[in-house]
Amino acid sequence: MSFFFNSDIAIGTRVLEIIFIMIGLILIYVGYSNFKDKTNPQRVGTSIFWIILGVVIAFGRWIPEMFVGIMVIIMAIPAILKKVKPGKNDAPSKEYTVEMSEKIGFKIFIPALTIGVFAVGFALFVKQLGALVGVGVGVIVAAIMLRILNKDNTLPVFLKDNKRLLDLVGPLCMLPMFLASLGAVFTAAGVGDVVADIVGTIIPQGNVNIGIIVFAIGMALFTIIMGNAFAAITVMTVGIGAPFVLQYGANPALIGMVALTSGYCGTLLTPMAANFNIVPVAILEMKDRYGVIKNQIIPAFLLLTFQIVYMIIFK
């Protein structure tokens, strides 16, 4: 408990740790529920994955790094062997869903928007806590709103719906965290310097326009590989943005912002961006696994072209 009463640790960090503990406990519940589910043919592998993930997220700060690494390896084995499968889930009936839809209507979007409002509000006005804490608080407030909108929304219902969503997504829920870590590893390994050496043989010295084009396209391509523009921008800025664009007087705020959104054009085109392109397929039970991506190809290329032109004009 000394961690939570240590004044040397930022209050935002301490509150965020409480949120992580709550998330971890939910994951442990999902694992335990799957273990009890005799209808799940892969209940052992499924429970191992979710329980270990929950323990690491909830208590990883206090577990020695070596043991965390071992736990992550053990956790990955069922996922690699495809032994993590959804169990029995008590989804609401179609009749009940239609009834609630007619009763609540568009008010159902209020709780969802509340999460974003709290995230932005905390980022702007409660900076000692930060946006991530704002997201956590927003989720709690949204749950209270859902309870007000429908008295059937009790704590067991929320837990079961959490389980149903996580079962549908499966191990892919870990992809954003792994990709973010991969970006840090690539940067530390000097991939950006390697990219700079390669690109230096292509881009004419001092030609900012070509530098912008290569920077934007590189952001999109690297994001396709990594699935995360935030992971890609560190490597691409070191390798292309800084030496071939910013060094020659381009506006760093404008270039950095638009280059990041250029990366998100790559997000629209890759299954590695699981939260955007794979999770919706699982939730909506779409027959075409890549249906979301196929519908985003043309908008992605149009947006990327616009962003390149925008950077060249206003650099």
Side-chain angles (χ1 to χ4, degrees):
M1 294 298 293
S2 60
F3 171 84
F4 297 103
F5 296 100
N6 189 341
S7 58
D8 294 332
I9 300 174
I11 186 172
T13 302
R14 286 178 277 167
V15 175
L16 190 60
E17 195 63 44
I18 294 173
I19 294 173
F20 281 135
I21 291 173
M22 294 171 62
I23 294 171
L25 293 175
I26 291 173
L27 293 169
I28 292 172
Y29 164 80
V30 172
Y32 175 69
S33 298
N34 273 295
F35 183 74
K36 291 197 307 178
D37 182 7
K38 300 294 180 64
T39 65
N40 187 344
Q42 305 295 346
R43 66 191 186 97
V44 174
T46 303
S47 61
I48 289 174
F49 176 83
W50 291 117
I51 290 174
I52 293 180
L53 178 59
V55 170
V56 170
I57 289 180
F59 309 112
R61 180 178 291 274
W62 299 280
I63 301 174
E65 294 178 357
M66 176 65 72
F67 289 103
V68 171
I70 294 171
M71 292 171 71
V72 170
I73 292 173
I74 295 173
M75 179 191 76
I77 292 173
I80 293 171
L81 299 177
K82 297 183 179 180
K83 299 296 183 181
V84 182
K85 300 292 183 181
K88 179 183 178 182
N89 286 297
D90 300 321
S93 66
K94 183 177 181 181
E95 292 75 17
Y96 179 82
T97 303
V98 171
E99 179 186 348
M100 290 299 104
S101 176
E102 293 174 350
K103 177 183 176 181
I104 298 174
F106 288 104
K107 288 184 289 186
I108 192 63
F109 291 105
I110 296 175
L113 293 172
T114 298
I115 299 173
V117 169
F118 270 82
V120 174
F122 271 61
L124 295 177
F125 306 112
V126 196
K127 294 183 179 180
Q128 66 270 30
L129 293 180
L132 288 177
V133 173
V135 172
V137 174
V139 169
I140 295 172
V141 174
I144 295 171
M145 288 183 172
L146 288 169
R147 170 66 176 168
I148 294 171
L149 289 173
N150 183 2
K151 299 300 181 183
D152 293 341
N153 287 327
T154 60
L155 180 58
V157 169
F158 286 132
L159 289 174
K160 289 178 181 177
D161 279 349
N162 269 300
K163 177 183 180 298
R164 183 158 58 92
L165 177 60
L166 289 169
D167 276 350
L168 283 171
V169 178
L172 286 173
C173 69
M174 285 296 300
L175 198 53
M177 288 180 273
F178 281 136
L179 293 173
S181 301
L182 185 62
V185 171
F186 274 24
T187 302
V191 174
D193 296 330
V194 174
V195 171
D197 292 338
I198 296 173
V199 173
T201 63
I202 302 173
I203 300 178
Q205 194 74 19
N207 194 320
V208 180
N209 291 341
I210 294 181
I212 287 173
I213 293 172
V214 176
F215 188 22
I217 294 175
M219 274 296 302
L221 291 176
F222 216 67
T223 302
I224 289 174
I225 296 170
M226 304 188 70
N228 189 319
F230 282 106
I233 196 166
T234 54
V235 176
M236 288 294 103
T237 300
V238 170
I240 303 174
F244 299 105
V245 180
L246 302 180
Q247 180 177 306
Y248 297 101
N251 185 332
L254 184 148
I255 296 297
M257 178 178 63
V258 182
L260 181 63
T261 56
S262 297
Y264 278 108
C265 294
T267 301
L268 298 174
L269 302 173
T270 176
M272 296 294 284
N275 284 355
F276 295 94
N277 302 328
I278 301 301
V279 172
V281 173
I283 293 175
L284 299 175
E285 298 180 355
M286 296 172 60
K287 294 181 179 179
D288 187 352
R289 188 178 179 185
Y290 301 107
V292 172
I293 295 174
K294 291 176 181 177
N295 284 284
Q296 294 174 162
I297 293 175
I298 294 177
F301 280 105
L302 291 175
L303 284 169
L304 182 60
T305 302
F306 173 83
Q307 288 160 339
I308 291 172
V309 173
Y310 184 91
M311 283 192 284
I312 290 174
I313 293 174
F314 295 103
K315 64 179 183 294

